[in-house]
Amino acid sequence: GPKSVLTVVGVAVLVALVVVAVVLGVSALAGDTGVKYTDLKAGDCFKRPRGSFKNVTTVACTKSHDLEVYAVLDHPAARKDGFPGMDELVRYASPLCLAQFKAYAGVAFDQLNLQDEYITPRESAWKDGSRRLVCAAGAQNNQPSTKSIKAG
C-alpha cells in the first residue's frame, strides 16, 4: 500500500520515487511541546505534525488522532556514519516494521485499509545522533480515527 514518511527534522513534503512518501521534517532545532518523537512507543496515538518538528502531540487512541505507532526501531549506523538519506532509512525500516505489525494489531497489514507511515531523522537530526525510526499507520484517506488499529 502507499507509504508515507514523516521525516524527523525538516521542511517540505517530498515525494520519493521508490515509495509514495509524505515526508514531514523533524528538526534538530524545533522546540515544540509534546512528546519527543524518540520517546514514542508502540500503542501511542498522535496527531500528524506540521512542518518541522521534533515532538508530537500524543492523545488517547479513543480520541481523534491521525497515526498510531505499531513499532519502533533504531538504525544500527554508528554516530560518525554519514546520512544515508530518508528513502534508504524507509527501505531499511519497512520490512522490519511490517514484520511486527501482525503481532501488534492481530491482523495482517494488508487486511486493513491503512497507510504505512514512517518518522525518520532528517540529516540535521542524524548528525545530532538520532537513529530512531518510528513505524506508524493511519487511514489511507488521512481522516482522523477514534479507535486503535488493534483488532477487537
Side-chain angles (χ1 to χ4, degrees), residues 104-142:
Y104 175 79
V107 285
F109 185 84
D110 53 20
Q111 288 180 255
L112 300 172
N113 188 27
L114 294 174
Q115 174 164 287
D116 210 11
E117 308 217 12
Y118 300 92
I119 301 182
T120 75
R122 279 193 94 154
E123 193 160 11
S124 59
W126 181 272
K127 284 187 171 144
D128 248 14
S130 182
R131 298 291 181 268
R132 176 59 49 92
L133 306 169
V134 176
C135 320
Q140 284 191 353
N141 55 10
N142 285 336

Side-chain angles (χ1 to χ4, degrees), residues 1 4 15 25 37-38 47-48 63 65 68-70 73 85 87-88 93 101 106 108 113-115 124 131-132 149 152:
S4 346
V15 179
Y37 102 94
T38 48
K47 293 185 181 294
R48 185 187 304 282
K63 297 252 192 321
H65 62 275
E68 181 171 343
V69 178
Y70 67 87
L73 19 124
D87 290 352
E88 192 45 56
F101 185 86
N113 188 27
L114 294 174
Q115 174 164 287
S124 59
R131 298 291 181 268
R132 176 59 49 92
I149 55 180

Side-chain angles (χ1 to χ4, degrees), residues 11-67:
V11 251
V13 173
L14 35 124
V15 179
L17 300 174
V18 261
V19 286
V20 182
V22 180
V23 181
L24 288 165
V26 173
S27 177
L29 307 169
D32 18 32
T33 55
V35 176
K36 274 223 286 304
Y37 102 94
T38 48
D39 291 339
L40 288 169
K41 55 196 185 308
D44 285 347
C45 288
F46 63 100
K47 293 185 181 294
R48 185 187 304 282
R50 306 261 171 255
S52 288
F53 70 98
K54 196 161 57 172
N55 298 0
V56 299
T57 305
T58 54
V59 294
C61 293
T62 51
K63 297 252 192 321
S64 178
H65 62 275
D66 300 307
L67 296 165

